Amino acid sequence: MAPETGRGQNHAQLQNQSGADEYGCTLNELKTLMEFRGAEGIQKIKECFEDTNGLCKRLKTSPSDGLNERPEELDNRRAVFGQNLIPPKKPKTFIELVWEAVQDVTLIILIVAALISLGLSFYKPPGNTGHSCVPPEFALGGGGEEGAAGWIESAAILGSVLVVVLVTAINDYTKEKQFRGLQNKIEQEQKFATIRNGQIVEISVADIVVGDITQVKYGDLLPADGIIIQSNDLKVDESSLTGESDHVKKGLAVDPFMLAGTHVMEGSGKMVVTAVGVNSQTGIIFSLLGASDHDAAVKKQKSKSSKKSSGSKIKFISPSIDFQCLGTEKLNFTFFSDEPTENSRADGQINHDHGGQEMIPLTEREGEETDGEPKKKKSRRKEQSVLQAKLTKLAVQIGYGGFFVAILTVVILIIIFCAEVFGKYNQEWKSECTSVYVQYFVKFFIIGVTVLVVAVPEGLPLAVTISLAFSVMKMMEDNNLVRHLDACETMGNATAICSDKTGTLTTNRMTVVECYLAGKHYSNGLPKHSDLPANVLQPLVTGISVNSAYTSKVLPADKEGGQPMQIGNKTECALLGFVSDVGRDYESIRQDITEEKLFKVYTFNSVRKSMSTVIQNEDGSFRLYTKGASEIVLKKCTSILDQSGESIKFTVADRNQMVKDVIENMAGNGLRTIALAYRDFPADSPPDWEQENSVVSNLTCVGITGIEDPVRPEVPDAIIKCQRAGITVRMVTGDNVNTARSIAAKCGIINPQDDILVMDGKEFNRRIRNSKGEIEQSRLDAVWPKLRVLARSSPTDKHTLVKGIIDSTVTPVREVVAVTGDGTNDGPALKKADVGFAMGIAGTDVAKEASDIILTDDNFTSIVKAVKWGRNVYDSIAKFLQFQLTVNVVAVIVAFLGACILKDSPLKAVQMLWVNLIMDTLASLALATEQPTDALLLRKPYGRNKALISRTMMKNILGHAFYQLIVIFVLLFAGDVLFDIDSGRGLSLHSTPTQHFTIVFNVFVLMQIFNEINARRIHGENVFNGVFTNPIFCCILIGTFILQVIIVEFGGQAFTTTGLSLSQWLWCVFLGMFELVWGQIVSSIPNKNLPKFLSVSIGKSEPEVDPALRGEAEDTVPDLTDQNLRRGQILWFRGLNRIQQQIRVVNAFRSSLYETRHYKRSMNSLTSIHDFL
């Protein structure tokens, strides 16, 4: 181990020396620099680099032009400073997946029983053939050859178990490979604004290197560590690293250190990248947790060495590291050790000597023990999805029934055997016969286990996984990027959608079509620069040009006759386009007043609803430019520019008149109104720029612009589909109430004859709060059912509305709410919603991280497609459940009654495994890949409390089970007479297969094959409709039939079958095909004539528990082993491993699949990622 460590140290030293020789600073210097904060960090920058320009110079980068894009230069930086990625942990090997599949309790029982039976089949008691131990009717075989073949059935069971294990492992391996590929695809699509060769370009996050100059803005999730070189009102949420919820102000004079994985909550700026990948602060912690493959070998070595000091608890230590100019004092870097040190803290926090600042460590991983006490597992989810809740309860109840029948079967078989052998024939237990008796008991046990295997719907987890995975892939084609798998089916139960306006219901192609300037309302065409006084034109053009994000720009059309390309914020692009329409060039103004010359910026946020920028004039005076929501900005104006460009007094009466004549007029036409204003400050007495309220006041109004954002042409039809499907659509927007009402009317959200509410955020809060300012659910319940438009709303209002709807009990069933959001502050509402949709184009990284589904086209119609796919998922599971339960009911009853009456199961263990594994696996694939149709949107949502098994489904299950049981028992007890063949009843153990029982097995399987067609519809529709549109279904149906022919004709002793004649095959096919005719007979029975108890309440889900009330709650899918259960129940629930596996699969995908794409940037999903990998 020592030589390996030495080599690692030598490599690090060589890498550091290379960085020092080529760039003037080493990797370790930069890593250590990023450990500092605040004033001490600023001092260190001055000591080592003089200033940020010195740092950029050492890194051979330009603060204004960034790096050049020479591949060899970028590759060299990656070699010296590392790549911006953390190597993911290696996926599980196929052998590991096989081992996991073997852990299934039922399979283990089968393996043990088969091995015992196999061993006993070769054991011959000395001097005894075994025939004297049991009566003739219990004899072990009809002849030597038949007895010798006793090992075949045991071997066949082991072979079937091997097939089960391989199919499970192959499915898991393929599934993991597909989702890792999808994850890699998503990671490649992550872009970040970076300056290369003097141009702002969007590059992949993985391509960022040390020395890059990146632009950071509101809503960004930082991809690397860096040092600020320019900032405007920049505030960052570092709670993911430090645990502190307060936003940290960033700037050259305050705190210039930016850390990967933190969220930009306000402002904008530029930073030089100083650490990437495993060398960033986030990456270092990931490495310590062993979340990456990068440290797998090191961690393994450490674990070996730690074994030498057994029993010692892991402690934090901080070895001293002395680095060049940073070596004026020794810095601490955190590693794991078994020995305590002075710098260790009892509370687990790391005490850094520099500045005395404490870094709060990550929460311990789940399952770890702290101070000798096991840490309780925290819930990371809201609650079970609708389908999960129903399937969990259904699986448990089916399992109880199957377990009872299996035990009863074994007990009855043993009682009958003992009664016959030791009672009727009055035989005594002979020691030399013990092996014979055990062989019979093992056979009975195998029959019981087989009944249990058939009773548990093993195909259900596969059907759920296949259906969800298939839907995810197809939804990507419909512009829905699903981050959490169960959001698919949850969306199918949605009863309410709270949608944004801009970009979702509208095109987000904004243009200024009206304006009020110099005392004139331009409603039929925009003015030119010659129409406006110079005193109006200058603040108008300059204010728009500099008081907008410099990342917002309007570029020429990429093809002749096309519209100009809008890049960045669309509202700002509309105003910049207005500057061009007036006849001025905003780019020339920005070249004169660069972003670095901006004195102070108050960036837009949901509270301000405005943006203000301060520039310093050549004479030392200052000018403030403001733009924002018209009503809000006008309230801060005390003067206005008149026809000649002179500033005149602007009274409250004037403001009210303007609101009535101009703003309401524009808003009535569906226009977004933006007010423009400015204010001058003298050079000798500047204000306190931190007092924003006093600075942004006493403004001079320049004018009002009316921005048009047309409704998407396809939206009204989509809204109608939602309303027809029983989904209420609400618009939640920050726009003026009149603008919102106009757009809502155009979309079809509101109609003149409807009794609905349209209100703004102020009125909404007035109605839902009591005299103490507290929100009351009863007040909220009086508002939300009729509310259709909420205007001038804040993200807090949106969250309040969503929570109020979800928590409400005024409706018969709990509402299932979907929400769209694009801003950073929309995160709480997106998290609270049952399904959160983030905008893929306009949405911030924070909003996307909080969402369940990302709309890649920001289009409302994509939400409607998600509803359709969600309902299709629910129906696919219900279809398979209908088919599966029919098979289970028939198989269990036949096995049980056959065992009790015939002392043996008519369907042998291997045959049962064939039916249970192959039929279930193929059927789940066939029924779970049906395409959705528009007919799915013609019915109401299922709702949370509607039974999973409806009366129609139960009618089909019982109806087809009745037909199949009649056919099976007629063939069982009269088939030998009807077909004029030898009877298979009452034969000895390991006897030759008979045509009689082969026909019973063959008819049973063929009835299931044709019943698959019946299972395609669960609402009484035509089962043949669209059957040929699903090639997977057709191929599986034909393939299953061919496999059955092969098994019957060539299965022999292994499958206990023998060849059938052509006439026998035709009869078998006829009895199977009659399932289709019987299906039509069953579907013709009216549901109203059926008893209500048939719609079993198996699937009812429990009401949601608010996570805030849970504390450290149990995981939302009940951990059955944690409950106060008897030992027998615990063993049984472990026997349901295949069902619980489905829940685990969905859980892992829901919490981790797409969150892993953020693991090198966000610390919020550390635990989820570790669990998934």
Side-chain angles (χ1 to χ4, degrees), residues 5 203 231 368 376 400 473 585 758 843 888 1068 1095 1098 1157:
T5 306
I203 67 171
S231 64
E368 287 185 354
K376 195 170 182 179
Y400 270 129
M473 301 303 177
D585 180 18
V758 176
N888 288 359
C1068 290
S1095 57
I1098 283 175
R1157 71 190 180 98

Side-chain angles (χ1 to χ4, degrees), residues 441-463:
F441 292 154
V442 169
K443 173 194 172 185
F444 300 151
F445 185 69
I446 289 176
I447 293 174
V449 173
T450 305
V451 171
L452 176 61
V453 169
V454 173
V456 177
E458 294 183 4
L460 191 56
L462 188 60

Side-chain angles (χ1 to χ4, degrees), residues 827-859:
L830 292 171
K831 284 277 190 185
K832 180 61 183 175
D834 294 287
V835 181
F837 286 88
M839 303 296 108
I841 299 172
T844 63
D845 287 344
V846 179
K848 292 174 185 176
E849 191 181 59
S851 68
D852 300 298
I853 299 175
I854 298 173
L855 298 179
T856 57
D857 63 347
D858 291 10
N859 196 332

Side-chain angles (χ1 to χ4, degrees), residues 82-95:
Q83 290 182 289
N84 194 27
L85 56 85
I86 300 174
K89 201 169 184 179
K90 287 183 180 179
K92 291 179 181 177
T93 64
F94 182 74
I95 300 300

Side-chain angles (χ1 to χ4, degrees), residues 517-550:
L517 295 169
K520 183 177 180 181
H521 186 180
Y522 294 90
S523 58
N524 296 314
L526 299 177
K528 295 297 182 183
H529 63 87
S530 57
D531 301 327
L532 300 173
N535 290 347
V536 173
L537 187 63
Q538 190 278 329
L540 172 70
V541 174
T542 306
I544 291 175
S545 301
V546 302
N547 190 32
S548 298
Y550 277 44

Side-chain angles (χ1 to χ4, degrees), residues 230-248:
Q230 182 268 322
S231 64
N232 298 317
D233 197 28
L234 197 60
K235 293 182 181 178
V236 176
D237 178 7
E238 294 185 344
S239 59
S240 57
L241 282 178
T242 66
E244 295 294 334
S245 58
D246 292 339
H247 297 169
V248 180

